[in-house]
Structures are given as C-alpha cells and as structure tokens.
Amino acid sequence: MSTAPGTTSTAGTAGTGLRVLSLAERPDLEEALITMESSWPAYIRPEPLLVDWALRRHAEYQLVMLDETDRVVARAASVPFTWDGDPDGLPDTGWDETLRQCLTDTVAGREPTALCALEIAVAPGRLAQNLSGYTLRALIGHATAKGLRDLVGPVRPSGKHRHPRQPLAEYLALRRPDGLPEDPWLRVHVRAGGEVLKVCPASMTIAGSLAQWRAWTGLPLDTDGPVELPGALTPLTVNTAHDHAVYVEPNVWVRHRLTGRRP
C-alpha cells in the first residue's frame, strides 16, 4: 500500500492537529526524522550502515508524526522480517540481529511476515502528551494494513535505568495493584494489546576505547569493573588494562498480534 506524497497514510491522524506519515510518502523528512532530538543516551550507537540501509530500503516502514506546523514530533523506526511466530525464534541479540535478519531476508527475497519496531521516540518537549502511545498504535495500524501477522519489538523499559543492577527478569516481575507492569513503557504496550514474551539479554552491544566512553559520558572511567551510567539499563564494564569498556543493553521482547485486527 502506498499513497501520494504529502497525504495521510493508513497510519492516520493520531490526535488533533497531528498526522502520521511514512518516509516513503515524505522522503523530504528523512533528515528531520534522523536529527529529531530524543532521550537516547549519547553512547547508544546502533550500526550506522545497517540503520542507513533500512531507512532507505524500507522507507515505507519508517513513520513520522507531524504537528500542525509540519514539524516532526515523534518517529517510529521498524524493519520487516520473516518470523514463524515462535517466541523462541526471536534472537537474544534483538536489536542488532533483527537488523541483520531484515537485510538477509530482503536480499534473499523472502516474504516478510512480521514487523520489528526498533524505536519509538518522542521529541523531549512533547513527552507528557501520550505521543508514544499514539505512535505505537499508528505503527500497529500501519503493520496491519501491510498484511503482516505480528508486530514485535525489543522494547527498552523506560524505568529500568533507575535500577541498573537489578536483573531484568526481576524488574519485569514488578506489577502495579491493577496487574499492569510497573514499567511505564511496557505498560503502554500492554494497554495496546501487547504481550510480554521474554527477556532479550543482549539486544545491543556497544564497545569502545576508554577515550571514546569518556567523551560519550564525561566520566573518568579510571578503575576496573562495573560503572553505572546515566540512562543505562545495566552497568558498563570497564577494563583499564586493555583500554576499553563494553555496554550490553538488555531489552524485552513484546508481541502485538495483528491477525484479526482492522487496518
């Protein structure tokens, strides 16, 4: 499905004065999508070549939310891939591996069956307006209209950084009195019909020299061992003898079943 540039796609209108469009419909918004300020820490650095390839090859799956002035206030990055529906088949190296799988599936000409949501981000000035929920529902509707069976994602729990040394499985077990997850972003997914499947223990791995990490974090990093970073879900592991540090980010696989939904 495609529509003419500048028109509203099946993602539709998210709220008064807001429109959701794909990058295929508005390729002129690519730079605005990429440069939109978000809350990601500076050290979260996905593989740039794969991300750049995905943006261009699968532009129809990159969504932008525009306000009444045509400014990008939220974005959803996703890639299609082939998945048999078995949760055990979702990789433990979620973010990184799903990008690679999308590449191999695309090159091999395999028909995608699912969409993997890599990121849903909201501009800092709009964080209190439920745009993350709007954007998630828009992506669900977009994937449904494409005829895909599932929307899955290695979700980054938004409150986990407050408990960096707590195992993610323990954090996931925290529930509010109403039974919903304690974590705010996981709660948005569950309210939208999402099912929490399992921990994704090594969704993204970022390694660098100590000089690089000092530039990214502003910390001295002059002792060995685990170091807590602002915004990190787990501690950074520092090795001064070998002049490097490694951060392994765990996420949570969440599934939204699309079969039977209306576009």
Side-chain angles (χ1 to χ4, degrees):
M1 184 282 303
S2 63
T3 57
T7 63
T8 304
S9 72
T10 54
T13 302
T16 303
L18 299 174
R19 293 172 296 135
V20 180
L21 299 165
S22 74
L23 205 56
E25 297 169 286
R26 288 288 303 274
D28 59 301
L29 292 173
E30 180 179 324
E31 183 177 358
L33 176 145
I34 294 171
T35 59
M36 186 198 85
E37 186 181 357
S38 72
S39 57
W40 284 88
Y43 50 83
I44 298 294
R45 308 174 70 82
E47 173 52 54
L49 289 178
L50 274 176
V51 171
D52 185 66
W53 170 84
L55 280 177
R56 289 170 170 76
R57 179 61 181 81
H58 294 292
E60 71 271 26
Y61 292 109
Q62 318 312 319
L63 302 184
V64 291
M65 180 176 286
L66 305 175
D67 66 10
E68 57 279 355
T69 68
D70 225 27
R71 186 171 67 95
V72 175
V73 295
R75 68 189 179 205
S78 61
V79 292
F81 71 115
T82 304
W83 179 49
D84 62 6
D86 181 359
D88 290 337
L90 294 172
D92 288 340
T93 49
W95 220 100
D96 291 338
E97 184 57 33
T98 305
L99 263 175
R100 288 190 287 267
Q101 185 175 339
C102 172
L103 174 62
T104 57
D105 286 344
T106 301
V107 171
R110 286 188 282 269
E111 188 72 21
T113 60
L115 190 65
C116 181
L118 297 174
E119 178 198 31
I120 292 176
V122 175
R126 308 297 292 262
L127 290 175
Q129 300 173 21
N130 195 32
L131 294 192
S132 58
Y134 279 134
T135 309
L136 172 61
R137 288 191 290 274
L139 188 60
I140 291 171
H142 196 63
T144 303
K146 291 285 188 180
L148 300 174
R149 294 199 301 256
D150 293 282
L151 172 70
V152 297
V155 174
R156 189 177 204 263
S158 60
K160 176 64 171 69
H161 67 95
R162 300 187 188 94
H163 312 277
R165 295 181 184 264
Q166 183 177 28
L168 184 50
E170 290 183 8
Y171 179 78
L172 283 182
L174 299 177
R175 291 288 186 273
R176 303 193 320 174
D178 60 6
L180 290 171
E182 185 70 29
D183 184 81
W185 187 214
L186 287 175
R187 198 158 60 243
V188 171
H189 276 273
V190 171
R191 281 175 170 160
E195 175 189 1
V196 176
L197 295 179
K198 63 178 182 177
V199 170
C200 180
S203 186
M204 190 184 298
T205 299
I206 298 108
S209 68
L210 294 184
Q212 287 177 303
W213 277 102
R214 287 169 185 141
W216 295 335
T217 66
L219 298 176
L221 303 179
D222 51 6
T223 57
D224 289 338
V227 175
E228 295 182 15
L229 303 178
L233 308 192
T234 59
L236 173 75
T237 301
V238 176
N239 189 316
T240 58
H242 295 286
D243 189 32
H244 71 246
V246 179
Y247 172 67
V248 180
E249 165 131 331
N251 289 163
V252 181
W253 277 112
V254 175
R255 175 187 203 171
H256 294 266
R257 297 177 187 266
L258 307 179
T259 303
R261 287 179 182 257
R262 292 184 176 181

